[in-house]
């Protein structure tokens, strides 16, 4: 009995490995200039180019925390998993060179779900030329002896390259620098709100994702913007907006030991979004960066709109971030984090 | 209510991040020659040395699959998580340069458990001079109706360096090469069997881990052996024994397109282990490697015993691996995989 279970289990894992390996082989090295050996040995092998630094990031994507199987098409879960890592690479101004995926799925989950997860993952990987170079697989255990309660867990690792010493850090901003943001804010949170409302009205509703932009389901990491900033050498600091403007600007201020003033009327709020969503909604995956006042920052970078939304000030620990309203008042911007599905799903 | 839960949740995650960051800062860069920027930005930054390749590996450690909270002291879970990655780096003959840990823990789990997990992790990291350079944290979800059912999930990423073109691959063995193994086989499986038996007799028994070697609880990845093999340029192929000799030798044969003959009486079987455990027991984390017959492979490498256990043969697809018994018979060695706790725990 145990033996039988064990064999089935191993077979499931072997199938998963074979599925991922086949996709990786079909894709090849993409545009990677440094990947020498991908899936199939104890480690992948990379040969860095002289004059380049490497950047490395990992991001967890947990079912019921970062996505829900009843809300997100598998393609969206796969896309979002990779997008989280790519956005960190974009924030450093780097070029993605290799992705590694650690994936645990419950035994009960159909191979079709995993195939579709990989479809979403690989489509985004191919768009940015980043090869799937390795990873790990396992079968997620069921929770508390309840069959079918296992959850999907994915961890994405991204490795990118950037000219030596040119990576964009959170810590490089100076007092007087102008604060810029790409694209629009709050779009992902607004789309998530619509999904939640729909689910609230009709809990069994099947979520349909049509054509057109989907900032929540299919965010577009700003890799071209990050690389342009490095090429032009104009940014002093950068961070990606994964946790929301109020939180991520807070990180940038802390690491640069500065305060910030944001002009409320300058914020590029997404069409369907509220001001709250633009300020605190996470997962927009836009870039927030600073540049000296003399820098000629263009209105678009890499095809994406860029807006000046404020400026960096000397550190004032009592008022780390302030907003300037249209009528000239200054109000503090409090941090509010990103909402997780699990909590919000109960609301 | 939802807001309250959300805030608690965020606090838990922030505490976890602070805990890991504090440990990483206390440790510094260890012996890493390439880490430039660790935890605290969107990515870590590394500056590879000219003439070196990088190797990258990721390994999942899931509660109830790779460890059990009721069997493993938290220090052992942390040690084993890192050891899995270090062993892959050892198998490439590389020097570990940076570790990244993605860790999801249930809200109910005490900070003390996580502290002790990190104690075990960091002690091994410091022994090998590898800095904790980044990672991610999250709170593992529980079953809605069953609080406390969340599970610990860890994903370890290791990055190592090796002189360019010198990484030990699985695919480099040639017919006629001698097959070597380090240390002893089956020790980890034998220790696991003793734990299982104890648990079977007294399910509530507290597992005590005393002084002395513990091949299951505290395996010792063979980094010094791997580096010595590269330095001496004597190995043609290598793999680590994570899934057991029969499975991992199978991988080496496949990637090198060869068969193998193993001399049964030459196997270094650990004192408490059965032949089955030596052949199929996983997680010994010894190295299996090949070298030409003319190579002067010493009896110990990096302080660890090295034994010639057989040789590589031209590919015979019907008999990929054979064992030569003391009385001269040749019997096929079937692959049997690694036993997972979940299945075995039910047995």
């Amino acid at each position: 009995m145990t033996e039988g279970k064990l064999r089935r289990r191993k077979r499931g894992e072997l199938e998963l490995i074979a599925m991922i390996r086949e996709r990786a082989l079909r894709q090849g090295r993409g545009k990677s200039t440094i990947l020498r050996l991908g899936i199939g040995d104890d480690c992948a092998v990379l040969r860095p180019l002289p004059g380049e630094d490497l950047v490395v990031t990992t991001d967890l994507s947990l079912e019921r925390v970062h996505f829900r199987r009843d809300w997100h098409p598998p393609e969206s879960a796969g896309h979002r998993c990779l997008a989280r890592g790519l956005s960190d690479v974009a924030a450093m101004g780097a070029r993605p060179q290799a992705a590694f995926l650690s994936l645990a799925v419950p035994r009960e989950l159909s191979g079709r779900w995993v195939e579709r997860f990989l479809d979403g993952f690989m489509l985004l990987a191919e768009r940015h030329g980043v090869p799937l170079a390795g990873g790990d697989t396992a079968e997620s255990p069921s929770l508390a002896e309840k069959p079918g309660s296992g959850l999907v867990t994915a961890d994405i690792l991204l490795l990118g390259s950037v000219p030596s010493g040119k990576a964009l850090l959170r810590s490089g901003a100076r007092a007087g620098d102008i604060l810029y943001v790409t694209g629009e804010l709050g779009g992902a949170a607004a789309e998530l709100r619509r999904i939640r409302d729909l689910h609230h009205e009709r809990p069994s509703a099947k979520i349909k994702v049509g054509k057109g932009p989907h900032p929540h389901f299919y965010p577009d990491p700003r890799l071209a913007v990050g690389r342009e900033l490095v090429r032009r050498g104009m940014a002093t600091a950068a961070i990606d907006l994964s946790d929301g403007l109020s939180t991520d600007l807070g990180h940038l201020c802390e690491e640069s030991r500065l305060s910030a003033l944001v002009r409320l009327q300058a914020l590029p709020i997404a069409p369907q979004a509220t001001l709250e969503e633009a300020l605190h909604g996470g997962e927009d995956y836009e870039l927030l960066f600073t540049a000296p006042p003399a820098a000629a920052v263009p209105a678009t970078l890499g095809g994406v709109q860029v807006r000046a939304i404020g400026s960096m000030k000397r550190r004032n620990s009592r008022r780390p971030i302030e907003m300037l309203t249209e009528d000239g008042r200054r109000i503090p911007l409090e941090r509010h984090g990103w909402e997780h599905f699990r909590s919000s799903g109960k609301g």
Side-chain angles (χ1 to χ4, degrees), chain A:
Chain A
M1 183 68 188
T2 300
E3 265 304 293
K5 284 196 183 188
L6 194 60
R7 265 198 299 274
R8 269 210 305 285
R9 171 176 174 65
K10 295 297 281 187
R11 194 150 57 227
E13 274 187 24
L14 290 175
E15 274 165 19
L16 186 56
I17 293 169
M19 217 184 265
I20 292 176
R21 192 170 176 161
E22 188 269 327
R23 295 294 186 103
L25 282 176
R26 211 196 299 164
Q27 183 201 13
R29 288 179 199 180
K31 290 181 194 158
S32 180
T33 51
I34 66 172
L35 182 64
R36 289 293 170 125
L37 180 70
I39 294 175
D41 216 298
D42 294 292
C43 294
V45 181
L46 305 153
R47 184 159 303 164
L49 295 181
E52 284 190 349
D53 286 349
L54 292 183
V55 301
V56 184
T57 180
T58 73
D59 288 281
L60 285 165
S61 291
L62 307 185
E63 182 180 342
R64 292 215 268 144
V65 177
H66 302 91
F67 68 94
R68 290 175 59 140
R69 247 191 282 160
D70 54 345
W71 289 12
H72 292 81
E75 293 86 352
S76 165
H79 177 109
R80 286 162 47 84
C81 165
L82 179 60
R84 296 192 69 191
L86 287 175
S87 183
D88 284 327
V89 170
M92 306 300 283
R95 172 187 299 275
Q97 290 280 4
F100 297 76
L101 174 65
S102 289
L103 185 62
V105 299
R107 183 190 302 171
E108 301 79 13
L109 193 61
S110 73
R112 184 73 193 122
W113 193 95
V114 179
E115 285 283 3
R116 290 179 58 193
F117 177 96
L118 292 173
D119 285 347
F121 184 100
M122 296 307 290
L123 199 64
L124 184 62
E126 276 156 28
R127 194 190 303 161
H128 293 288
V130 54
L132 179 56
D136 194 18
T137 58
E139 196 179 279
S140 346
S142 301
L143 302 182
E145 310 298 321
K146 179 161 177 172
S149 61
L151 301 173
V152 176
T153 297
D155 190 37
I156 182 73
L157 164 92
L158 256 292
L159 217 140
S161 63
V162 61
S164 280
K166 301 295 184 199
L168 305 175
L169 307 184
R170 297 175 177 180
S171 55
R174 284 161 293 192
D177 279 356
I178 308 298
L179 184 66
Y180 297 87
V181 73
T182 62
E184 295 174 333
L185 301 177
E191 184 167 37
L192 177 57
R193 169 170 43 85
R194 290 198 302 277
I195 303 164
R196 188 180 305 151
D197 290 349
L198 179 70
H199 187 82
H200 209 74
E201 277 169 36
R202 288 185 295 140
S204 64
K206 192 90 187 151
I207 311 284
K208 283 203 188 97
V209 183
K211 296 235 181 261
H214 287 282
H216 173 77
F217 285 115
Y218 296 100
D220 197 8
R222 300 307 190 191
L223 287 155
V225 179
R227 284 210 296 275
E228 268 299 292
L229 288 174
V230 165
R231 197 181 65 78
R232 294 171 185 237
M234 53 176 42
T236 50
I239 188 170
D240 74 319
L241 293 179
S242 49
D243 291 342
L245 179 67
S246 60
T247 298
D248 291 318
L249 177 52
H251 292 315
L252 197 148
C253 285
E254 266 164 36
E255 296 294 330
S256 292
R257 297 167 190 271
L258 294 173
S259 287
L261 182 68
V262 173
R263 284 182 299 118
L264 199 51
Q265 72 206 87
L267 288 176
I269 303 175
Q272 312 278 327
T274 64
L275 175 61
E276 284 293 299
E277 286 165 345
L279 291 174
H280 311 298
E283 303 191 309
D284 277 324
Y285 298 117
E286 297 294 348
L287 294 189
L288 183 72
F289 65 93
T290 56
V297 176
T300 64
L301 272 172
V304 181
Q305 163 194 294
V306 174
R307 288 280 283 275
I309 61 165
S311 56
M312 305 305 290
K313 305 286 170 197
R314 279 220 312 270
R315 184 80 178 156
N316 177 342
S317 55
R318 273 173 306 164
R319 311 210 118 190
I321 310 178
E322 287 186 316
M323 285 192 298
L324 187 65
T325 64
E326 219 161 334
D327 55 4
R329 284 178 303 131
R330 287 179 176 222
I331 50 178
L333 176 62
E334 305 283 351
R335 284 192 199 191
H336 293 290
W338 171 65
E339 276 196 44
H340 291 261
F341 294 108
R342 197 158 54 111
S343 308
S344 56
K346 287 178 184 172

